[in-house]
Structure formats: structure tokens, C-alpha cells
């Protein structure tokens, strides 16, 4: 007997008392399995739905009310990269590694702050797309913009200051830094609340980067050069 037959058997008319309705253990198990089957979404379905949302969701909805924060984050990051290009230091790769995720960090912090200050979370909750889908698409967009900014800035950096280090080595270190920060961001976003997840990773990244560059910058610089050589050789 299949699930549909079992569900048909337990139907009752409107005059039936709920207290008189008794289900066997098999019928209960079949009903639970049917609910789980239709209620739980598989990872493949989630990815497919996210792709469909990405194709249909326009930019004005994805960054509703916070598009200026995205532009401001890109502008601030560009200024930081220009400052780094003009900076005369022997630990340039340490600075590159620490600065690489800043477009993501600043844009995400500004958008989260404005949404929290203006209560835009309520508007996102009433949208046809879920908050998790919107957040995932924004994280992908922030990462893509960050990669473009890093590639453009490192082209200028290698040409003007670190010609002895190949561009692809420096770019690989930059993307590695962005990947590490992205993993840390996902971890806190899954484990904690949405607003706290926007604050804890930037604080940890900036604090640890500043401490590492200040205390043992030269040692880390040599380690990053070795990492770059290994990644290119691989």
C-alpha cells in the first residue's frame, strides 16, 4: 500500500469526532515521511532556485535602498589601494594580503548598517525572494566586485612598485585572502545572528592583520613569498 492510499484511508468527514480518529503506527510513519518528503529541500534544489533568483532578480531589488553603500565601499577601497601603491614599505605582500577583502568588508558593513538603521530588513522580509537568497546573491556580488578591484589595483602595484614579483603570484595571494575571509564570513553567518555576523569577521580580520603586520611583518612577508612560489609551481 503506497502513501497516497494510506492518506486516503485516514480521511474523515466533517461530522467525525477527532477523538474517534485513530491511526496505526504504519499510517503515522507514512504521514511523517510524506511531510518530510514535500517539506525538506535538497541542496541541488536550493542551488537551482538560487540560480533562478539570480537570473530574475534585478539590481534595484538586490540592492534596494543600499546601492549608495555599494558605491561608497568601492570608492573607499580604491582610495586605500592608491595609498598602498604610493606606500614605501618592505612588507608590501603583507599589506596586500590584509587589504584584499576590504571591498567586501566595507560594502557589507555599510549595507548592513543602513538596513539596520532604516529598518530595511522588514522590506526584505516582504519581498518575493527570501532573505537568505538576497544575502547569498549580495555576497557573490561583493566577492565579484572585490576580485575586479583587486586585479586592477595589483596591475598598478606590480608595475609601479613590486616589479620583482610576478603579477599572477600577487593576484593568487589576493584571491587566497579573499577566499579565507569568505569562509570565515560564511561560518559566522551560519552560526550567529545576521547583524552580529557582519561585525565579528571584520573585527577579527582587521585586528589579526594589524597585529601580525606590526609584530612580525618581515617574517610573514617571507612566508607569503614562499606561498606564492608554491602556488604558481603547483
Amino acid at each position: 500500500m503506497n502513501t497516497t492510499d494510506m492518506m486516503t484511508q485516514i480521511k474523515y468527514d466533517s461530522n467525525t469526532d477527532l477523538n474517534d480518529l485513530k491511526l496505526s503506527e504504519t499510517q503515522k510513519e507514512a504521514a511523517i515521511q510524506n511531510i518530510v518528503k514535500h517539506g525538506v529541500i535538497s541542496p541541488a534544489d536550493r542551488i537551482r532556485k538560487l540560480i533562478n533568483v539570480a537570473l530574475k532578480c534585478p539590481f534595484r531589488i538586490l540592492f534596494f535602498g543600499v546601492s549608495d553603500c555599494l558605491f561608497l565601499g568601492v570608492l573607499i577601497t580604491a582610495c586605500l589601494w592608491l595609498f598602498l601603491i604610493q606606500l614605501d614599505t618592505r612588507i608590501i605582500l603583507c599589506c596586500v594580503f590584509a587589504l584584499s577583502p576590504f571591498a567586501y568588508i566595507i560594502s557589507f558593513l555599510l549595507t548592513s548598517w543602513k538596513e539596520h538603521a532604516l529598518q530595511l530588513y522588514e522590506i526584505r522580509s516582504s519581498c518575493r525572494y527570501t532573505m537568505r537568497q538576497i544575502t547569498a546573491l549580495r555576497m557573490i556580488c561583493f566577492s565579484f566586485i572585490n576580485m575586479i578591484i583587486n586585479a586592477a589595483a595589483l596591475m598598478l602595484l606590480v608595475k609601479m612598485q613590486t616589479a620583482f614579483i610576478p603579477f599572477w603570484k600577487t593576484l593568487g595571494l589576493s584571491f587566497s585572502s579573499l577566499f579565507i575571509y569568505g569562509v570565515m564570513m560564511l561560518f559566522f553567518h551560519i552560526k550567529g545572528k545576521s547583524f552580529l555576523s557582519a561585525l565579528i569577521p571584520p573585527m577579527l580580520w582587521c585586528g589579526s592583520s594589524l597585529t601580525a603586520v606590526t609584530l612580525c611583518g618581515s617574517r610573514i612577508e617571507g612566508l607569503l613569498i614562499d606561498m606564492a612560489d608554491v602556488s604558481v609551481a603547483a
Side-chain angles (χ1 to χ4, degrees), residues 25-45:
E25 293 298 328
T26 304
Q27 290 173 329
K28 291 179 181 179
E29 185 67 24
I32 293 173
Q33 294 297 330
N34 187 60
I35 294 172
V36 172
K37 179 180 178 181
H38 292 86
V40 178
I41 302 176
S42 64
D45 292 334

Side-chain angles (χ1 to χ4, degrees), residues 191-234:
K191 296 295 183 180
K193 296 181 179 180
S194 58
F195 188 72
L196 291 178
S197 66
L199 295 177
I200 297 177
M203 294 173 60
L204 288 177
W205 184 267
C206 294
S208 59
S209 298
L210 182 61
T211 303
V213 170
T214 303
L215 297 181
C216 50
S218 301
R219 189 177 302 174
I220 296 178
E221 182 78 6
L223 178 63
L224 291 176
I225 294 176
D226 295 337
M227 288 176 56
D229 293 336
V230 171
S231 62
V232 173

Side-chain angles (χ1 to χ4, degrees), residues 90-109:
R90 295 182 179 179
I91 52 173
I92 190 66
L93 288 185
C94 289
C95 297
V96 168
F97 193 85
L99 187 60
S100 291
F102 262 60
Y104 187 111
I105 293 173
I106 297 174
S107 299
F108 197 88
L109 280 177

Side-chain angles (χ1 to χ4, degrees), residues 137-155:
L137 291 177
R138 283 185 178 180
M139 294 175 74
I140 294 173
C141 186
F142 290 149
S143 300
F144 185 72
I145 294 174
N146 203 149
M147 292 170 65
I148 294 177
I149 295 175
N150 290 359
L154 290 176
M155 289 178 66

Side-chain angles (χ1 to χ4, degrees), residues 28-76:
K28 291 179 181 179
E29 185 67 24
I32 293 173
Q33 294 297 330
N34 187 60
I35 294 172
V36 172
K37 179 180 178 181
H38 292 86
V40 178
I41 302 176
S42 64
D45 292 334
R46 290 179 180 176
I47 295 175
R48 183 165 56 252
K49 287 185 178 181
L50 183 61
I51 294 175
N52 292 333
V53 172
L55 295 176
K56 297 178 181 179
C57 184
F59 181 84
R60 60 184 180 84
I61 293 179
L62 184 60
F63 291 97
F64 178 78
V66 293
S67 56
D68 55 338
C69 296
L70 177 62
F71 174 76
L72 186 60
V74 172
L75 185 62
I76 294 175

